[in-house]
Amino acid sequence: RDTEGNLLQPLLPLTGSGGNKTDANLLAILDKGTSVFNTVPFNAFWVDAGWYGAPHEVEQESNCGPYWFRWAGYWKPNTWGHPDGNLKKVAEAAGRKGMKFLLWFEPERATGYAPIVSEHPEYFHRRKNSTDSLRYLLDIGNPRARAWILDEVSRNIRESGVDIYRQDFNMDPLPIWLDSDAPDRMGIAEISHINGLYAYLDELHHRFPELMFENCAGGGTRMDIEMMSRAHSYCRDDAHMFPHPEELTQNITLNSTPYIPFTGGETFRIPVFDTYGWLSCIGAGTVFTPTDFDGMFLSREPGREEVAWFTRMLQVSARVRALFRGDFYALTGNTGDGSDIFCGYQLNDPSTGEGFYLLFRRAECPEDEFYLRLRGIDYDAAYTVERFEGETTVEKGCSFARGILSFSEPRSYKLVFYKKK
């Protein structure tokens, strides 16, 4: 919630992909994205990894560039891409468009390329006898080390005008913790680290009470009760990086929404015009990165049909956001990775009588019929019923809320919005 106690609205971010993009490229993506998709209510501009490090030239096309991992711990903007030494221009441009500015950090990790590792080696742990120069774990339980990273991150938040702080964590700390413990003190390094992490986040919140927090951790690996009390997870998983993410992302929405409602799916691997794939990835937030689609807005401009399809997908992504504040119902069991089943769910807001359901017949599902039984519906009341691929009608609750649905082919879906009259 915000400082006034109001429930925060889920994000619908436009992303510039990684911070390996120059200021000019980020501004172009922001400007083109909001002008081409001018009916889409984007509320954040997202800059991910790669904006930091010693001055170095980096190619622009890939998602975050090849050096995002190498320069962790060197928390100064790469002045080759960001010549002002901050991302203030990008943040201010987003603000003028009514959008918040999100910036990526990974405070707990550093590499040997970061000067702080040699300046203060006592701030870091790594595996015993290791020659790996890319995986130093910040001893965030050490008050001096924690004070250093708090000041580094705070400076960047102030100088770049950050509204949403995104925290990632891309290493396995357990071997380092085990190496750090005496035989009769096993677990102490981990306890110290986790308590230090919570102290770090709480102090950051104290310094910036209006700052929103987003918790990634390699794609959803830290969605525990303590972290969820401090941050949303708009990058709830890395399933979008697999060649066919649809079933994985459907599972995550179905199985995690009752516990973690404000999460976001990403559309990284979805081909253009694949509506089934896009709808599989939506959640309370849907992360849209134009450059993931063959360099859109960076090395090419989209065609008219592409613009129409993306606009339609983004509008439905925006429409479902508020309904994730309502009641969630699973229409199918907690599915695994099977391709031969149905998967579906319903969101219903009892205060407004509004909701939707989304049902998928997966690629190898032999059944072509599904018995639907919606929850929270007044069977005797009239509803406006809007079928995503069909007509809009006025029906009684008993008419659309239960019965047999027919699916003409595998890898198909039913998306239906309704509102009580």
Side-chain angles (χ1 to χ4, degrees):
R1 296 176 183 270
D2 63 20
T3 54
E4 297 179 355
N6 299 310
L7 198 62
L8 293 168
Q9 184 179 15
L11 293 184
L12 182 66
L14 172 69
T15 89
S17 189
N20 58 310
K21 311 294 185 293
T22 64
D23 282 351
N25 280 330
L26 290 171
L27 291 169
I29 294 167
L30 173 62
D31 186 61
K32 291 178 181 180
T34 52
S35 59
V36 170
F37 304 115
N38 55 26
T39 61
V40 178
F42 295 117
N43 59 0
F45 187 65
W46 179 314
V47 175
D48 216 82
W51 52 268
Y52 38 85
H56 61 281
E57 184 174 351
V58 60
E59 59 90 13
Q60 305 287 286
E61 187 71 20
S62 65
N63 193 279
C64 286
Y67 302 116
W68 74 269
F69 192 91
R70 177 185 298 178
W71 291 105
Y74 196 129
W75 301 119
K76 289 181 171 53
N78 171 17
T79 53
W80 174 82
H82 312 288
D84 294 339
N86 57 59
L87 282 81
K88 190 85 168 177
K89 285 181 180 176
V90 180
E92 289 177 342
R96 288 192 293 270
K97 295 179 180 292
M99 301 162 69
K100 294 182 180 296
F101 177 58
L102 179 150
L103 189 61
W104 179 100
F105 293 86
E106 191 179 0
E108 298 159 84
R109 188 176 63 84
T111 75
Y113 292 92
I116 189 67
V117 171
S118 56
E119 293 169 0
H120 287 282
E122 73 277 13
Y123 288 0
F124 297 91
H125 297 298
R126 67 169 173 169
R127 293 295 307 272
K128 286 182 179 177
N129 305 316
S130 174
T131 59
D132 184 357
S133 64
L134 296 178
R135 290 175 177 82
Y136 287 85
L137 179 68
L138 181 69
D139 182 8
I140 201 166
N142 176 339
R144 290 187 177 182
R146 187 165 66 248
W148 167 77
I149 192 60
L150 274 165
D151 289 344
E152 287 290 288
V153 171
S154 296
R155 173 176 49 77
N156 281 287
I157 289 172
R158 292 189 185 99
E159 292 180 358
S160 291
V162 177
D163 301 303
I164 306 171
Y165 165 82
R166 168 170 163 80
Q167 177 155 325
D168 209 344
F169 186 50
N170 294 291
M171 65 183 292
D172 178 7
L174 184 58
I176 297 175
W177 288 335
L178 293 175
D179 279 354
S180 301
D181 285 327
D184 62 344
R185 300 284 286 167
M186 300 304 290
I188 294 301
E190 179 177 1
I191 291 169
S192 173
H193 187 101
I194 297 303
N195 284 335
L197 171 64
Y198 298 155
Y200 164 81
L201 291 171
D202 292 345
E203 174 60 23
L204 205 59
H205 181 75
H206 175 73
R207 293 184 184 188
F208 304 97
E210 298 291 344
L211 190 69
M212 291 177 63
F213 288 73
E214 200 272 331
N215 164 38
C216 175
T221 63
R222 266 186 175 164
M223 291 194 292
D224 57 83
I225 191 67
E226 287 287 345
M227 289 300 286
M228 286 191 296
S229 74
R230 293 169 168 87
H232 292 309
S233 292
Y234 292 112
C235 184
R236 65 190 181 183
D237 63 85
D238 277 346
H240 62 280
M241 295 184 179
F242 293 97
H244 298 287
E246 301 95 316
E247 292 172 8
L248 288 171
T249 53
Q250 290 171 17
N251 292 344
I252 291 163
T253 302
L254 179 71
N255 300 332
S256 67
T257 300
Y259 313 101
I260 318 166
F262 282 9
T263 64
E266 297 200 43
T267 57
F268 179 62
R269 287 276 188 172
I270 302 303
V272 181
F273 306 124
D274 182 2
T275 302
Y276 176 95
W278 185 288
L279 295 178
S280 296
C281 294
I282 62 174
T286 303
V287 182
F288 174 53
T289 308
T291 57
D292 284 346
F293 297 90
D294 299 320
M296 184 165 61
F297 299 145
L298 190 62
S299 59
R300 73 174 188 90
E301 300 303 316
R304 183 180 301 176
E305 290 184 356
E306 278 185 281
V307 170
W309 182 79
F310 277 117
T311 299
R312 191 169 185 231
M313 295 300 100
L314 289 163
Q315 286 175 339
V316 76
S317 300
R319 185 173 180 180
V320 302
R321 282 184 306 159
L323 293 169
F324 274 82
R325 299 181 181 186
D327 295 335
F328 176 88
Y329 300 105
L331 298 180
T332 57
N334 288 347
T335 58
D337 295 335
S339 296
D340 58 347
I341 55 177
F342 284 97
C343 177
Y345 58 90
Q346 173 196 2
L347 272 301
N348 183 72
D349 185 346
S351 67
T352 63
E354 186 175 7
F356 76 95
Y357 70 84
L358 182 53
L359 189 65
F360 300 97
R361 178 187 175 185
R362 290 184 170 174
E364 298 176 16
C365 179
E367 304 294 330
D368 59 6
E369 292 185 339
F370 182 87
Y371 183 77
L372 178 72
R373 181 175 178 269
L374 299 182
R375 305 282 296 278
I377 303 296
D378 183 345
Y379 281 3
D380 295 324
Y383 287 79
T384 300
V385 182
E386 180 182 345
R387 293 169 175 85
F388 187 63
E389 298 287 3
E391 60 183 352
T392 298
T393 58
V394 176
E395 303 177 32
K396 275 195 169 184
C398 59
S399 173
F400 76 89
R402 60 185 179 187
I404 295 175
L405 299 179
S406 296
F407 290 75
S408 59
E409 58 188 16
R411 206 175 184 275
S412 57
Y413 61 90
K414 302 284 186 186
L415 172 58
V416 176
F417 291 92
Y418 58 84
K419 187 169 185 179
K420 191 175 183 180
K421 292 180 69 69

